[in-house]
Amino acid sequence: MSTASTEDRTPILLVTDEMEVGGTQRQIVNLALGLDRRVFEVTVAYFRNPSILIDELRAAGIRVVEVAKRGRVDPFFVLQLAKLIREGRFAVVHAFAFSGELWAAAARCLIAPSRRPALITSVRGVYEWYRPWQWRVKRWVSRGSWRVVANSRAGAEYACRRLGLPHGAIDVIYNGVTLPAAQEAAAVRDETGCGAQSVMALFVGRLIDHKNLPVLLRAMALLRDELPPLKLAIAGDGPLRQDTERQIAQLQLSDSVRMLGERDDVPRLLAAADFLVLPSYREGLSNALLEAMHAGKPSVASAVGGNVELIEPGLTGLLFRSDDERDLAGAMRSLALDPGLRARIGAAAREAAQQRFSVAAMVREFELRYRQCVAEKASAARDLQPSAERRHAR
């Protein structure tokens, strides 16, 4: 089927602060690649930290624009972002992350009201760490948004309370993931040093505070002598890498924990792993957890945020009390000692993920919101026409 001309398509701008490898950025890529190009013309704009995700977008023919931001407050940057939005004649600007939302909303204010695109903003976690001034900014941004979309029910309900919005005012669209088939499990286990005879636990994510790697390492220390075949592979990088390596040495875990660094082969790692561990203090809707479910792997996750919406305890995964290494160690012990339990939970997790959390389902929901915004914007423009102009239009 032929692609529609540019004039026939609805121009959409996806905006975020940074494009390093992370959960939100991966969802932006999934959305950009999944939108129907016969209907939508998508552009991705970011401010800093490019990564392999930019290459992936460009290779697929997606226009990507870096709007360079220098310093916390950069008036020239805001003018450039407004110029991009104005010249692109975007019907919808869909902004992600606090900084991306703030500056997209500010740039939009510099555009004539008749040419302003509809703004969609995001809630991608439970933001307990926000300071009062951040909630004031979020409230201002949200009030100027045509839609606010959360990726978990927990995040939506928390944001509604903090923003003074009625229950249900924030839409919920769950993340979607697609996991390609991956083989070479034995080779991957050799590469990671886990070996064919070990039980391999896997962590995937940024090495940042809220992922709470320390509790996972403390749990591994409790299990080290009891379950010597248990190995932990940590896939990811970030500002806490040195702290993590230091804790591994202090707990004498060098023989049982492998630091893999940032990886672009998560499907291969999941194929090799026996189960995933997600020890976060807080989560929106974890891509790593969804990917493990799609791969048919059981997970152990902290009972926080969107994790409790993904995991039905004992059926599609195991939950533990946040920051409780003994509870985490108990859950890991259960999976490490029982291959049958791993198989049953993995199969149920795959079925749940395929039914509820596909990229196609996520993209369909966002396409619907974009169409709604465009229709509402057109209706509002008609209502603003003077009565004589409306009569002439008829």
Side-chain angles (χ1 to χ4, degrees), residues 178-212:
T178 298
L179 202 68
Q183 305 299 325
E184 311 172 82
V188 173
R189 291 175 80 104
D190 288 341
E191 291 171 18
T192 59
C194 291
Q197 304 306 314
S198 299
V199 174
M200 177 180 169
L202 176 67
F203 167 87
V204 178
R206 291 272 293 156
L207 306 187
I208 51 181
D209 179 70
H210 77 259
K211 292 299 183 181
N212 197 13

Side-chain angles (χ1 to χ4, degrees), residues 298-315:
S299 299
V300 179
S302 50
V304 301
N307 294 350
V308 299
E309 297 173 49
L310 291 178
I311 288 181
E312 186 174 346
L315 179 62

Side-chain angles (χ1 to χ4, degrees), residues 36-326:
D36 188 343
R37 297 196 200 182
R38 297 167 300 179
V39 179
F40 301 99
E41 181 188 12
V42 63
T43 298
V44 175
Y46 71 102
F47 311 155
R48 58 194 179 102
N49 294 352
S51 71
I52 57 175
L53 298 179
I54 297 296
D55 300 330
E56 186 175 338
L57 287 168
R58 286 179 172 150
I62 302 294
R63 181 188 179 211
V64 182
V65 179
E66 180 182 6
V67 186
K69 182 173 178 287
R70 298 171 179 83
R72 294 188 67 180
V73 179
D74 182 352
F76 180 73
F77 151 78
V78 180
L79 291 173
Q80 291 299 107
L81 182 57
K83 179 181 178 183
L84 171 67
I85 295 172
R86 186 184 304 111
E87 293 181 350
R89 295 182 173 273
F90 295 103
V92 176
V93 171
H94 185 176
F96 298 80
F98 181 86
S99 179
E101 293 172 356
L102 168 59
W103 298 120
R108 182 173 171 269
C109 290
L110 301 179
I111 298 170
S114 62
R115 297 182 60 185
R116 284 178 191 164
L119 177 65
I120 295 179
T121 54
S122 307
V123 173
R124 303 194 68 78
V126 179
Y127 303 138
E128 305 106 322
W129 72 95
Y130 269 16
R131 298 174 181 174
W133 71 267
Q134 290 174 296
W135 281 113
R136 288 194 292 272
V137 169
K138 185 72 173 174
R139 189 173 296 113
W140 173 74
V141 168
S142 298
R143 286 175 177 171
S145 301
W146 290 59
R147 295 285 190 282
V148 181
V149 179
N151 66 349
S152 69
R153 184 66 57 194
E157 292 175 354
Y158 184 82
C160 279
R161 291 195 299 271
R162 293 305 303 261
L163 296 173
L165 298 174
H167 177 75
I170 296 177
D171 291 350
V172 176
I173 298 177
Y174 287 121
N175 291 351
V177 300
T178 298
L179 202 68
Q183 305 299 325
E184 311 172 82
V188 173
R189 291 175 80 104
D190 288 341
E191 291 171 18
T192 59
C194 291
Q197 304 306 314
S198 299
V199 174
M200 177 180 169
L202 176 67
F203 167 87
V204 178
R206 291 272 293 156
L207 306 187
I208 51 181
D209 179 70
H210 77 259
K211 292 299 183 181
N212 197 13
L213 266 296
V215 74
L216 176 53
L217 296 179
R218 295 197 302 270
M220 284 295 296
L222 292 174
L223 296 170
R224 176 185 51 216
D225 297 328
E226 179 185 347
L227 295 172
L230 179 63
K231 306 294 183 184
L232 170 65
I234 297 176
D237 207 345
L240 297 184
R241 177 166 185 142
Q242 289 186 344
D243 290 347
T244 303
E245 292 172 338
R246 190 177 303 114
Q247 188 181 11
I248 290 171
Q250 290 172 346
L251 294 174
Q252 300 179 354
L253 291 172
S254 300
D255 290 339
S256 53
V257 179
R258 303 286 185 267
M259 298 284 288
L260 307 183
E262 185 174 297
R263 302 287 292 236
D264 61 1
D265 61 344
V266 171
R268 292 179 71 240
L269 296 177
L270 283 170
D274 290 295
F275 61 91
L276 181 85
V277 187
L278 184 67
S280 310
Y281 285 124
R282 55 182 181 267
E283 280 289 344
L285 207 74
S286 165
N287 284 343
L289 191 49
L290 282 172
E291 289 169 351
M293 293 174 70
H294 273 278
K297 300 293 180 174
S299 299
V300 179
S302 50
V304 301
N307 294 350
V308 299
E309 297 173 49
L310 291 178
I311 288 181
E312 186 174 346
L315 179 62
T316 59
L318 301 179
L319 296 173
F320 73 95
R321 293 183 296 274
S322 178
D323 205 36
D324 185 335
E325 62 266 26
R326 293 192 178 279

